[in-house]
Amino acid sequence: MPGDNYTAYALEAYLQNVRHDFAGSIETARKASLLDPADTYAPMVIGDNLAALGHYNQAFDAFNKLVNDAPNLSTFSRLAQVYEIRGDLKNADGAWKNAIALDAGGNPESTAWAHTQYGNFLYNQGRTDDASAQYSAALTAFPEYIPALAGQANVAAAEGDHSRAIDLYTQVTNRQPLPQYVAVLGDIYAAAGKQAEADRQYALIGAIEQLYQANGINVDLQMSLFFADHDRQIDEAVRQAMGALQAQPDSIYTADAAGWALYKAGRFEEALTYVQRALSQGAQDANLYYHAGMVNKALGHGAAAREELARALAINPHFSPLQTPIAQQALAELGG
């Protein structure tokens, strides 16, 4: 059915988004929308791609229109994510609450997704108890939901319960070995003083990357951050970050990855341009402020470094099992 086949076009657009072909996904989703202008699925995919590309104002307008036309879990949750990128935490929180309040409960996995994403939002603001409650709600709606288990593992690690965190992340990675999950499991092992186990997790990531590449999924952004975080293959980290930046030139997250990789390569002046760009939307993200603080410290910009590192730790004192102690030490060295 090459003609009037809205569902096929809309789902193809979603798949292109998953594979990080954001421009292609927009084109396909627009074809779908021409076939059924009233349906909201294809416009939501378009908005997802606009956000991924860093076109945040356009994404906000798209999601705001969808909220007005069809207020529900899917539309409000997307609006919440753009509010968070803009640093508007009050409206982001309100949008998440609206998303969950409007959930009809017909799709338990969608319910679990929303609670988990709201939990991640709360965790990223250092609100671990509130985040834990959302992860529990997700698991009530959809037992053994993998992202919620990962969220609970992060809370356990933040509370210093490394044994529970390792157990939960082992369950997660056995079922869904995404690079970011395997890397955090390695980091928790390292924080627990089990470096050999950590190294075994890190060694898996190269094989996982090859598997994703073989299936046409671009993980350059995640791999660049992994290499830079762990001081491995820094030239490759730079290459991958620049590739991600080329594909998503206006995204604050690709700018952040580029700045972090360049910092680890000793190219501090170049790194500064990118970490400043990463902060340009006002996102209250501890990782972004941490990276900017470390770049400014390397450049001798003491006041800026102190402010940014302190801000990172104020936003989320447990933002990373591996990087948080480094941020704390760097801030102490600056007299913060």
Side-chain angles (χ1 to χ4, degrees), residues 224 233-243 258 261-262 265 267:
S224 174
Q233 301 183 43
I234 298 303
D235 289 344
E236 180 65 6
V238 172
R239 186 194 70 77
Q240 291 183 321
M242 291 305 178
L262 289 166
R267 296 160 62 178

Side-chain angles (χ1 to χ4, degrees), residues 301-317:
H301 303 162
R306 277 194 301 275
E307 180 179 348
E308 288 159 349
L309 290 169
R311 184 62 190 154
L313 293 166
I315 291 170
N316 185 358

Side-chain angles (χ1 to χ4, degrees), residues 29 31 49 72 91 150 159 170 211 218 220 239 245 249 288 334:
K31 290 178 183 177
N49 286 295
N72 56 40
N91 277 318
E159 293 173 345
T170 299
L211 180 63
N218 187 320
D220 281 357
R239 186 194 70 77
L245 188 66
L288 303 186
L334 292 163

Side-chain angles (χ1 to χ4, degrees), residues 11 31 45 52 54 92 97 145 173 202 213 238 240 249 275:
L11 292 176
K31 290 178 183 177
V45 175
K97 288 176 178 174
Y145 183 60
T173 57
Y202 300 151
Q213 288 176 340
V238 172
Q240 291 183 321
V275 295

Side-chain angles (χ1 to χ4, degrees), residues 58-272:
Q58 293 178 54
F60 180 85
D61 291 342
F63 293 145
N64 200 43
K65 182 179 185 304
L66 285 165
V67 161
N68 289 327
D69 293 344
N72 56 40
L73 182 150
S74 296
T75 55
F76 264 113
S77 64
R78 284 167 164 84
L79 188 63
Q81 291 171 336
V82 181
Y83 274 130
E84 184 178 0
I85 288 169
R86 288 179 160 187
D88 188 344
L89 302 183
K90 180 179 179 181
N91 277 318
D93 191 81
W96 277 119
K97 288 176 178 174
N98 284 336
I100 291 169
L102 291 170
D103 177 25
N107 185 332
E109 189 168 2
S110 293
T111 298
W113 177 87
H115 281 291
T116 300
Q117 293 300 312
Y118 184 33
N120 292 343
F121 166 78
L122 295 167
Y123 180 85
N124 290 338
Q125 307 310 314
R127 296 166 60 183
T128 52
D129 289 345
D130 293 336
S132 183
Q134 292 300 318
Y135 298 139
S136 295
L139 292 165
T140 298
F142 195 82
E144 298 188 3
Y145 183 60
I146 293 172
L149 290 174
Q152 286 192 325
N154 290 333
V155 171
E159 293 173 345
D161 189 347
H162 293 134
S163 178
R164 174 170 163 75
I166 288 168
D167 176 65
L168 287 167
Y169 257 122
T170 299
Q171 295 178 48
V172 167
T173 57
N174 283 343
R175 293 169 57 197
Q176 195 174 74
L178 296 176
Q180 58 267 38
Y181 291 158
V182 177
V184 176
L185 175 56
D187 292 349
I188 295 170
Y189 271 126
K194 300 179 179 181
Q195 192 59 48
E197 289 89 341
D199 290 338
R200 278 195 284 272
Q201 298 304 315
Y202 300 151
L204 290 175
I205 291 178
I208 295 169
E209 178 192 18
Q210 291 176 4
L211 180 63
Y212 275 89
Q213 288 176 340
N215 285 276
I217 300 173
N218 187 320
V219 290
D220 281 357
L221 180 62
Q222 294 90 339
M223 291 305 301
S224 174
L225 289 168
F226 169 74
F227 287 139
D229 278 346
H230 299 87
D231 298 307
R232 297 171 177 230
Q233 301 183 43
I234 298 303
D235 289 344
E236 180 65 6
V238 172
R239 186 194 70 77
Q240 291 183 321
M242 291 305 178
L245 188 66
Q246 185 175 11
Q248 300 165 261
D250 298 314
S251 167
I252 61 172
Y253 299 109
T254 56
D256 172 65
W260 190 229
L262 289 166
Y263 161 77
K264 287 302 183 86
R267 296 160 62 178
F268 304 136
E269 290 287 352
E270 293 173 81
L272 183 62

